[in-house]
Amino acid sequence: MAGGVDLVVIGADGGPDRAFGGSALAPDGARLLAEVLPGMCFDTGAAGCRVTTAPPDADANAMLTAVRDAAQHPGRWLVVCLVGQLVADPRGRRLALVTAGSTADNAYRRGLAWDWVVSAMVHGDQEEALLLVDAVADRDTWSALERGGEDSAGELLSYPRVPLWGRIGRFVPGRRGRDSVLPGGEGSFSRALTTVLRHGVPGAPAAVAPLDLQPAVGALTDGGESAGSSGAPGARLLVPPHGGRLLMRNRAAVRGALAGLSLSEELLAVLWRESAPTEPPSA
């Protein structure tokens, strides 16, 4: 569907290894994004949004194929969502999303490489692209993200090749990991974003950009600071840049407009349905 939105949602479950327990709720976060995002695109709605989801236990090749296939469709926007746990390569320069069946020895090699995803998006056939990230990182990966300078994993967040929006938090395996905010769980970016989209932002226009939604989304996520700032208590918020033409529906504005009108209950129901998602995501 030329001119619409291609949405790719990937929620990777790293499997039973305790070291990758940060991805345990990733499928839940991906499911929420796939359910809510399509109907929230302001000028396309669910009918103008092509949705591709990857199974939680898919391998990196299947996930990358989903991104590449979507990137080849001519359109206005390509939105890719990565939900799960990140791991850095041994030199701390590159990142990958941990995939099912990974072990400490092979997690980066068999994971979905961040560079692969970004490269596919950069060379896509859409006018604009946006990468949504709801992830956690273990101690070593977090340290790699904190390091500055060229050829560091942190540079991927500070100078991204595609716009980023989301949250990356710290994860400590074992009992202490129970206190971490897991992607897809309470306080996560995917949960906060879908909550804000479902309820809207009172006082904001009917069409809002990601940056307009960020204060409300940030208020619902576990405390963090923008990427590149110092002193973050355990999370880095990736704030979308100013500009871009991707607009989302503000359902609070629709409700406010309808509340001021004297309309029949039947007509109100029709107008409400028009502002809500109309098609389920397809795998």
Side-chain angles (χ1 to χ4, degrees):
M1 62 189 64
V5 178
D6 275 279
L7 173 66
V8 183
V9 183
I10 298 174
D13 186 346
D17 193 313
R18 188 173 63 177
F20 305 129
S23 63
L25 299 180
D28 297 336
R31 191 178 307 111
L32 282 173
L33 293 170
E35 289 174 355
V36 176
L37 282 176
M40 293 296 106
C41 298
F42 181 75
D43 57 355
T44 61
C49 186
R50 188 199 315 261
V51 184
T52 304
T53 60
D57 58 351
D59 61 22
N61 287 332
M63 294 176 178
L64 181 61
T65 297
V67 177
R68 285 177 171 170
D69 287 350
Q72 292 173 1
H73 297 148
R76 298 177 66 184
W77 298 285
L78 172 63
V79 180
V80 177
C81 309
L82 298 183
V83 187
Q85 184 166 341
L86 296 175
V87 63
D89 71 306
R91 302 179 69 180
R93 295 182 175 182
R94 299 291 179 263
L95 294 173
L97 188 71
V98 177
T99 54
S102 296
T103 66
D105 295 330
N106 66 16
Y108 177 79
R109 293 195 307 274
R110 70 180 297 159
L112 176 62
W114 182 287
D115 288 353
W116 297 349
V117 173
V118 170
S119 179
M121 297 178 69
V122 168
H123 296 96
D125 204 12
Q126 284 83 12
E127 297 176 13
E128 296 185 15
L130 178 65
L131 179 57
L132 304 185
V133 183
D134 185 8
V136 290
D138 63 17
R139 182 182 60 186
D140 293 340
T141 302
W142 184 266
S143 296
L145 291 173
E146 290 288 271
R147 289 198 297 269
E150 293 186 19
D151 294 329
S152 69
E155 186 181 31
L156 301 176
L157 306 184
S158 301
Y159 304 99
R161 296 171 64 192
V162 297
L164 302 176
W165 190 18
R167 176 189 186 276
I168 299 178
R170 297 183 185 182
F171 173 72
V172 180
R175 293 185 59 85
R176 292 177 60 190
R178 297 178 184 177
D179 299 326
S180 302
V181 173
L182 302 185
E186 292 294 335
S188 69
F189 173 74
S190 55
R191 186 70 67 91
L193 175 59
T194 52
T195 298
V196 170
L197 289 176
R198 280 172 167 164
H199 295 282
V201 180
V208 288
L211 188 59
D212 300 323
L213 294 173
Q214 175 56 31
V217 174
L220 295 180
T221 58
D222 182 69
E225 298 183 10
S226 302
S229 64
S230 60
R236 301 180 72 177
L237 300 185
L238 310 176
V239 179
H242 179 75
R245 290 172 291 179
L246 179 63
L247 296 177
M248 312 300 289
R249 296 180 178 182
N250 180 15
R251 301 186 75 177
V254 175
R255 287 194 298 270
L258 296 181
L261 299 177
S262 178
L263 302 174
S264 67
E265 292 185 2
E266 292 81 3
L267 182 54
L268 286 173
V270 171
L271 292 174
W272 182 251
R273 286 198 299 270
E274 288 296 321
S275 70
T278 57
E279 294 182 0
S282 58

